[in-house]
Amino acid sequence: FVSNQAIPLESNHAPNFAASYGLAVASNGKAIAIWSHVNKDTAGNPISTSIWAKPYTPESKWGVTQPVSAVGINSHSQKIVLDPKGNGVAIFSEGNISKSARYNAGIDTWTSPAENIGLYGPELSISRGSSGAVTAITQRLDLTISPVRMTGLYANRSQDGVGWLANEKTVKSNATNYYARPPVLATADDGTTFVLFDYFNQDPTP
């Protein structure tokens, strides 16, 4: 076991700050740290949130911080997985859309613009199997009704180097007053994905 001194990945510049961190490590020792950068006005009120990431290699250590999402558009709920070579797939919510960006470890670059993977979800989950299949699940909100209600869990699938499916798959549709909480998922070597979630009554009336 080797203990190293902590290294700052992003310096906060008041009134802005970093939050909601994520980390993924590849079998070859490469890694990516990902987080939300919250921009505030001079009064301390949040005005926008964007997703940023920093790569790590055993040879060069921590690299250059790069934007993953569009800057100036509210983005959040980021998750990331890596393949054995250190290439990454990140998912996040941006505006009213769930999106995905890919990281190419060979040229240290994120794809731009990000790919759409489905409608807005406040909570996202992601898993990758050794075959290269990546599964993303969105906890969906219906923004067209008031009050806003959860509508269920929806999944999309991507293969290494290939875009996402044109149509999402329904994991669980919410019934009246019931909804599914954000899931835990795991993907097997053959791409089969197992999803575990809580499904409960959100109506406070006994």
Side-chain angles (χ1 to χ4, degrees):
F1 178 82
V2 179
S3 177
N4 294 319
Q5 183 177 357
I7 299 173
L9 299 185
E10 181 183 32
S11 298
N12 291 338
H13 301 283
N16 304 325
F17 67 95
S20 302
Y21 315 99
L23 180 68
V25 180
S27 57
N28 64 358
K30 294 183 177 181
I32 293 179
I34 191 169
W35 64 88
S36 298
H37 184 90
V38 181
N39 296 306
K40 290 188 173 184
D41 59 22
T42 54
N45 300 309
I47 54 176
S48 68
T49 305
S50 53
I51 310 301
W52 294 74
K54 184 185 286 287
Y56 173 91
T57 64
E59 301 79 19
S60 303
K61 309 307 178 187
W62 290 103
V64 177
T65 300
Q66 300 180 44
V68 178
S69 67
V71 178
I73 301 177
N74 285 327
S75 304
H76 56 87
S77 303
Q78 67 279 358
K79 300 290 189 301
I80 188 170
V81 291
L82 301 183
D83 69 11
K85 297 180 180 180
N87 300 305
V89 177
I91 59 174
F92 52 92
S93 289
E94 181 178 284
N96 292 336
I97 299 292
S98 297
K99 292 194 173 185
S100 170
R102 298 175 187 272
Y103 175 76
N104 187 322
I107 58 176
D108 186 24
T109 301
W110 287 89
T111 56
S112 180
E115 307 165 87
N116 293 346
I117 63 173
L119 297 179
Y120 173 77
E123 295 291 342
L124 304 174
S125 303
I126 191 170
S127 179
R128 182 188 184 279
S130 61
S131 66
V134 175
T135 300
I137 293 185
T138 302
Q139 183 193 30
R140 181 67 50 74
L141 278 181
D142 188 343
L143 302 177
T144 65
I145 60 176
S146 181
V148 173
R149 300 297 292 267
M150 302 291 181
T151 62
L153 300 177
Y154 296 84
N156 206 327
R157 173 64 64 91
S158 175
Q159 200 70 27
D160 277 354
V162 181
W164 297 84
L165 298 175
N167 297 308
E168 296 175 291
K169 306 298 182 182
T170 302
V171 178
K172 181 64 176 180
S173 295
N174 290 348
T176 302
N177 296 330
Y178 282 80
Y179 81 93
R181 296 180 192 265
V184 174
L185 62 153
T187 302
D189 291 346
D190 64 358
T192 301
T193 298
F194 298 85
V195 182
L196 178 66
F197 58 91
D198 187 14
Y199 188 64
F200 80 108
N201 189 346
Q202 63 179 336
D203 187 347
T205 303

